[in-house]
Amino acid sequence: MKKIKKFKYTINFIIFLGILWTVIISAAAYINLREIKKSTFELALSEAKATVNKDLSFRLWVTSHGGVYVYPDKDTPPNPYLNYIPDRNIVTTKGDVLTLMNPAYVIRQVMDVYSRLYNIRGHITSLNPIRPENAADPWEKKSMESFEKGVKEVAEISLIDDKPYLRYMQPLITQEGCLKCHAHQGYKKGDIRGGLSTAVPLDNYIKIETASLQKSILTYFILWLAGITGIVVAGRRLDRSLEARKKREEDFENIFNLTNDLVSIASLTHFIRVNPSFTRILGYSEEELLGRPFIEFIHPDDIRPTRDIVEDKLSKGISAINFRNRYRHKNGSYRWLEWMTNSMSSKEHLYATARDITGRIEAEEQGLLNRERMESLIKISQHRAESLQELLDYALEEAIRLTRSTIGFIYYYSEEKREFTLNTWSRDVMKECSVRDPLTVYALDATGIWGEAVRQRRAILINDYHTPDPLKKGYPEGHVKLGRLLIIPVFNRDRIVLVVGVANKQGDYDTSDMNQLTLLMDTVWKLAEKKRAEDEILRSLNEKNILLREVHHRVKNNMAVIMSLLELQSGYARDDDSKVMFMESCNRIKSMALVHEKLYRSKNFAYIDISEYISELASELLSEYEGEKGNVSLKLDIENYNISLDYLIPLGLIINEILANTFKHAFVRLDALPEIKIALQTEEGMQVRLMISDNGIGLPGDDILSQKKTLGMQIIRALVHQLGGTMNIERNGGTMFIISFPLKKDA
């Protein structure tokens, strides 16, 4: 039915245009035909005027000469109407007779000749003619009467001998030369004496006119036909265009109504039309949206940025504008919308589409919060806190920053005592708090709403602290004013160990803040436990270090006492051998005491620098014997590394025994400067090689290693065996002890 109705509308429109086009073409053809006929008349008139003007020119010329004399003949006999003129006929000196032709006579003959040649008739006439042939016909008489009334010329199409002619007539004005013939009729100069007429045949003009009319009619017919054809074609195209437009409108309506995006047409202040997605996403009815300026729905913080963007783009002539802002939902929450707008052809209206990107924004914010939380955890874990309290203080400041709060607190909670103990307030709290003697310990039963985090064993979130609540017990005078509050319990397994609170965020707290704070503080508690364990271990190690230092100090002192006793006892010895024995025993004890002194002064109680130890031990022994033997050159080549106590004491005793023996026996008869070399190197496979050599007289006997009776050699062999090593003695210009033993990795 709609299609039939639309078809009838198209046909009616085509008929209307066809009639209009026909009227236009007809009017144009009619005007053109009139112009052709007018042109034909004017062309014929121009020819008639030219003919009359030619005749008037001849008449004027003849009149100006008072007439002309010609030879009379049968066609030009003497004019009988000029008998009253004495010199009508004259005789020349040769005896020729000439007769006078007045202007009228001349013009009449010229007209006769012109008519025979060009078929254009001429006639000179008067209302009072002298010659009867010059009498006026009715048309000429009527024309001359009009001249008397002031008409300057007369032109008209008339039939002559049943043929169309253009008749034209001008008045004849009496000239001075005319009075010669017509003065006796009473004419004066300037009088209208008659008229000069001509008749131009119109047959040729009508033929030309007919051809022009036919051509014009054909042209207009072709134009009319082309126009009608164009109208029909245009009508069909219009029909298809209307069909396509209708389909586009239907498609637009489908997209407009079915798309998930918000689609609207708006002015610069109001919505003009909105699709159903507005109601679905924002909760308002269409009437509610159309009846209020849309600026009322925009978040207050987004009004100015939105206005600035739109005005800036429009001022630059940019019609396509992209921006995002928050729109208020009917329930009071806000949704993030991403807008794309473009001006319509009217420039006063806009197409505007928006997509709800709240989920994306929240995901981005959540991702940002997660990154910030991870950064906070990294900062907290890398923070070099000197104490557990410093760690918790730093963690609280990070929690405040992460939740965009301004203040916060941490309380320890004891489930056995059911009480809170203040750990720390954030540093900005005391700037605002003026409570006198604030409590640091609270019983659970005495707390208000913040204790609900323990009683309900879950987070407590309040975004309007001033709203009355039966769980609130108020806070003391001078307490920091609270607007928004978030409190979470921190669990260690199933026991609450901490209660952490943050407050006075600029916007509302949400579940994201709650989750971020919970995750952060759970990790902080684990770091705190780790810190507490590390502090405990460090305290225990410090105690052990102090104990070990004291043990080494006491061992060193006891050995010093023993050495002092031996030195006192040596004073009572009666022979030199006994004194030497006492001195050797003191040196052995001194080598062991030196180890304990090094350990007492060292930060590492397990290892000692071997190079430093051997150098000091050798210097001590050298000072003991140098007075007896003179100057002895001591050369050391010892690798610098740490060695454990298990190796160092036997190694020190070995060096002590060898050096003591060298000082006593090697340089008895020596002219050269005494020299002792000590070298210690680590070989492949963690094998240590100790070499002690001198340039003395050398050991006696062939089998040096078989000399086991001396105490020094027995001690050396026993200590080498204790180290799990081997010993060789070489004699080549002195004596060299070569001792090798394996070194364990943990030594």
Side-chain angles (χ1 to χ4, degrees):
M1 192 69 183
K2 289 183 178 179
K3 191 169 183 179
I4 294 173
K5 187 176 180 180
K6 185 173 64 177
F7 178 75
K8 287 180 67 177
Y9 169 80
T10 305
I11 290 297
N12 291 336
F13 184 68
I14 291 173
I15 292 173
F16 169 75
L17 288 179
I19 293 172
L20 180 62
W21 178 247
T22 301
V23 170
I24 292 172
I25 289 296
S26 299
Y30 172 75
I31 293 171
N32 187 255
L33 295 178
R34 284 188 60 187
E35 289 296 321
I36 291 174
K37 287 183 174 293
K38 183 180 178 182
S39 177
T40 300
F41 180 83
E42 288 178 351
L43 287 173
L45 180 62
S46 296
E47 187 174 5
K49 285 183 177 182
T51 301
V52 170
N53 290 335
K54 176 261 299 178
D55 293 339
L56 287 174
S57 298
F58 274 115
R59 174 180 175 274
L60 182 61
W61 180 80
V62 173
T63 301
S64 65
H65 290 83
V68 294
Y69 286 91
V70 298
Y71 291 101
D73 56 24
K74 62 177 182 176
D75 294 323
T76 310
N79 191 342
Y81 301 102
L82 298 179
N83 289 331
Y84 62 88
I85 298 176
D87 52 355
R88 185 192 71 173
N89 295 319
I90 61 173
V91 179
T92 66
T93 56
K94 292 182 180 181
D96 295 329
V97 178
L98 299 176
T99 186
L100 176 66
M101 295 184 71
N102 66 346
Y105 195 7
V106 173
I107 291 301
R108 187 168 60 254
Q109 286 198 356
V110 169
M111 286 180 175
D112 290 340
V113 173
Y114 200 77
S115 176
R116 289 195 302 272
L117 292 175
Y118 302 108
N119 197 29
I120 297 176
R121 300 182 182 186
H123 187 222
I124 185 167
T125 184
S126 173
L127 293 175
N128 185 20
I130 298 175
R131 185 183 179 90
E133 291 88 347
N134 291 343
D137 62 21
W139 182 85
E140 292 173 332
K141 182 178 180 182
K142 182 180 176 181
S143 297
M144 285 187 289
E145 288 174 352
S146 67
F147 294 155
E148 298 289 340
K149 298 176 182 179
V151 176
K152 301 298 183 182
E153 62 182 6
V154 177
E156 186 177 311
I157 295 176
S158 301
L159 292 177
I160 300 176
D161 298 330
D162 296 329
K163 292 185 179 181
Y165 281 84
L166 175 67
R167 300 193 69 179
Y168 177 76
M169 189 172 190
Q170 285 188 15
L172 288 174
I173 308 300
T174 302
Q175 304 292 330
E176 186 67 34
C178 298
L179 296 178
K180 181 178 180 180
C181 300
H182 300 283
H184 67 282
Q185 291 180 292
Y187 289 111
K188 299 186 292 298
K189 183 179 179 180
D191 290 342
I192 296 176
R193 190 180 61 79
L196 191 63
S197 70
T198 186
V200 178
L202 296 178
D203 291 342
N204 290 334
Y205 286 103
I206 290 174
K207 288 179 182 178
I208 296 172
E209 179 186 271
T210 301
S212 297
L213 290 174
Q214 290 174 348
K215 184 177 180 182
S216 179
I217 290 171
L218 180 61
T219 301
Y220 278 101
F221 176 75
I222 293 172
L223 285 175
W224 175 82
L225 187 60
I228 292 297
T229 304
I231 289 171
V232 173
V233 172
R236 297 187 63 182
R237 288 184 179 176
L238 175 63
D239 185 52
R240 289 195 294 269
S241 177
L242 290 174
E243 182 69 27
R245 180 178 178 181
K246 180 66 176 177
K247 188 176 185 307
R248 287 197 301 270
E249 289 175 353
E250 290 175 353
D251 292 342
F252 174 77
E253 288 298 320
N254 289 333
I255 295 172
F256 190 84
N257 293 319
L258 298 178
T259 181
N260 289 325
D261 290 339
L262 291 81
V263 183
S264 64
I265 298 174
S267 67
L268 295 178
T269 58
H270 285 73
F271 289 115
I272 297 174
R273 188 181 177 195
V274 295
N275 72 335
S277 293
F278 273 85
T279 300
R280 180 174 55 81
I281 293 175
L282 297 178
Y284 299 99
S285 67
E286 184 176 355
E287 291 74 17
E288 289 174 316
L289 289 165
L290 300 183
R292 296 156 62 185
F294 49 65
I295 199 169
E296 293 184 9
F297 301 98
I298 301 176
H299 192 285
D301 294 343
D302 296 340
I303 292 176
R304 176 57 65 83
T306 299
R307 183 179 293 161
D308 290 346
I309 290 173
V310 173
E311 290 179 355
D312 177 64
K313 297 292 184 182
L314 291 178
S315 66
K316 295 177 180 177
I318 301 173
S319 58
I321 307 172
N322 298 338
F323 59 92
R324 60 172 61 176
N325 57 22
R326 288 166 288 180
Y327 259 57
R328 187 177 67 251
H329 192 278
K330 193 171 183 178
N331 63 14
S333 64
Y334 283 90
R335 308 292 295 176
W336 275 100
L337 302 179
E338 187 171 50
W339 291 91
M340 293 183 63
T341 67
N342 207 333
S343 60
M344 299 174 65
S345 57
S346 65
K347 302 297 183 181
E348 297 176 356
H349 295 156
L350 301 171
Y351 287 121
T353 63
R355 180 162 294 177
D356 184 3
I357 59 170
T358 305
R360 190 175 80 194
I361 294 295
E362 289 177 350
E364 291 174 356
E365 291 178 348
Q366 188 64 38
L368 179 61
L369 286 174
N370 288 336
R371 287 194 298 273
E372 290 182 353
R373 176 170 55 83
M374 292 304 298
E375 291 172 359
S376 295
L377 289 174
I378 292 171
K379 288 180 181 178
I380 293 170
S381 63
Q382 293 179 347
H383 182 66
R384 297 183 178 276
E386 296 295 331
S387 64
L388 177 61
Q389 184 61 53
E390 184 182 343
L391 176 65
L392 291 176
D393 289 343
Y394 186 77
L396 179 59
E397 295 301 326
E398 284 297 310
I400 292 171
R401 185 186 65 81
L402 184 64
T403 57
R404 277 59 168 179
S405 304
T406 57
I407 58 174
F409 62 82
I410 297 176
Y411 275 87
Y412 287 116
Y413 179 71
S414 171
E415 293 204 346
E416 291 79 10
K417 297 180 180 180
R418 290 175 57 83
E419 68 179 17
F420 299 90
T421 302
L422 177 65
N423 172 265
T424 184
W425 277 95
S426 60
R427 56 174 172 262
D428 292 334
V429 168
M430 301 315 296
K431 297 178 182 178
E432 304 177 35
C433 182
S434 58
V435 177
R436 294 184 179 180
D437 301 323
L439 297 177
T440 57
V441 179
Y442 292 89
L444 175 62
D445 296 336
T447 59
I449 197 167
W450 67 281
E452 292 299 311
V454 172
R455 286 189 282 268
Q456 299 183 34
R457 303 181 75 79
R458 66 176 182 85
I460 302 298
L461 189 154
I462 303 171
N463 281 319
D464 188 3
Y465 196 82
H466 304 294
T467 301
D469 192 307
L471 297 175
K472 294 179 183 176
K473 295 186 179 181
Y475 42 72
E477 184 179 354
H479 193 279
V480 177
K481 301 297 181 184
L482 299 177
R484 297 178 178 87
L485 182 64
L486 173 61
I487 304 172
I488 64 156
V490 178
F491 290 85
N492 184 13
R493 296 184 178 88
D494 59 345
R495 298 170 62 83
I496 296 177
V497 291
L498 287 180
V499 173
V500 181
V502 291
N504 295 348
K505 180 182 178 181
Q506 187 174 4
D508 288 346
Y509 289 109
D510 53 25
T511 54
S512 176
D513 295 316
M514 181 175 65
N515 294 335
Q516 293 295 336
L517 184 60
T518 300
L519 291 171
L520 176 69
M521 296 313 298
D522 282 347
T523 306
V524 167
W525 174 254
K526 293 180 177 63
L527 292 174
E529 287 289 278
K530 180 181 178 183
K531 177 64 176 174
R532 183 184 285 112
E534 290 174 350
D535 289 348
E536 183 64 26
I537 293 171
L538 185 60
R539 186 186 61 79
S540 177
L541 287 174
N542 287 336
E543 290 177 355
K544 289 180 180 179
N545 286 340
I546 292 171
L547 179 61
L548 285 173
R549 193 180 298 276
E550 184 63 21
V551 167
H552 289 303
H553 182 62
R554 290 179 180 273
V555 169
K556 179 180 75 71
N557 288 343
N558 290 337
M559 287 185 174
V561 171
I562 293 172
M563 286 190 296
S564 298
L565 291 174
L566 289 174
E567 288 177 355
L568 288 173
Q569 189 65 38
S570 66
Y572 294 97
R574 296 180 179 180
D575 54 68
D576 292 337
D577 291 337
S578 297
K579 290 181 179 181
V580 170
M581 288 176 61
F582 278 116
M583 186 179 71
E584 289 176 350
S585 296
C586 284
N587 287 337
R588 293 185 185 109
I589 294 172
K590 185 181 293 186
S591 69
M592 292 185 288
L594 183 60
V595 172
H596 288 284
E597 183 178 0
K598 291 290 183 184
L599 289 172
Y600 172 70
R601 299 181 183 281
S602 174
K603 293 182 179 180
N604 189 341
F605 295 109
Y607 299 93
I608 293 178
D609 186 344
I610 186 68
S611 174
E612 184 180 336
Y613 172 74
I614 293 176
S615 176
E616 191 168 341
L617 177 63
S619 298
E620 287 282 342
L621 291 172
L622 181 62
S623 64
E624 289 284 341
Y625 292 99
E626 198 170 22
E628 299 178 6
K629 304 299 179 183
N631 293 326
V632 178
S633 173
L634 181 63
K635 295 184 178 180
L636 303 177
D637 182 13
I638 302 168
E639 286 188 16
N640 189 9
Y641 61 90
N642 293 334
I643 193 169
S644 69
L645 198 63
D646 294 339
Y647 288 88
L648 195 61
I649 289 178
L651 195 60
L653 289 172
I654 291 173
I655 294 172
N656 177 78
E657 292 300 325
I658 293 175
L659 290 182
N661 185 68
T662 300
F663 281 125
K664 285 193 298 180
H665 304 293
F667 306 122
V668 176
R669 298 183 302 277
L670 186 66
D671 297 330
L673 178 67
E675 183 181 80
I676 297 175
K677 295 180 180 179
I678 302 175
L680 188 142
Q681 298 172 349
T682 303
E683 298 178 342
E684 236 180 278
M686 295 296 290
Q687 193 77 11
V688 178
R689 184 176 185 182
L690 174 66
M691 295 176 291
I692 302 175
S693 61
D694 61 69
N695 60 350
I697 60 174
L699 290 176
D702 296 329
D703 189 3
I704 299 173
L705 293 180
S706 64
Q707 298 179 4
K708 302 178 182 179
K709 295 181 180 180
T710 63
L711 179 61
M713 189 60 70
Q714 290 177 1
I715 291 173
I716 291 171
R717 291 187 62 82
L719 292 172
V720 171
H721 179 72
Q722 181 181 336
L723 291 174
T726 59
M727 181 178 68
N728 291 316
I729 300 176
E730 295 180 358
R731 291 186 300 171
N732 186 12
T735 304
M736 176 183 289
F737 288 84
I738 303 172
I739 300 169
S740 297
F741 60 91
L743 191 65
K744 295 179 181 179
K745 289 185 178 180
D746 58 351

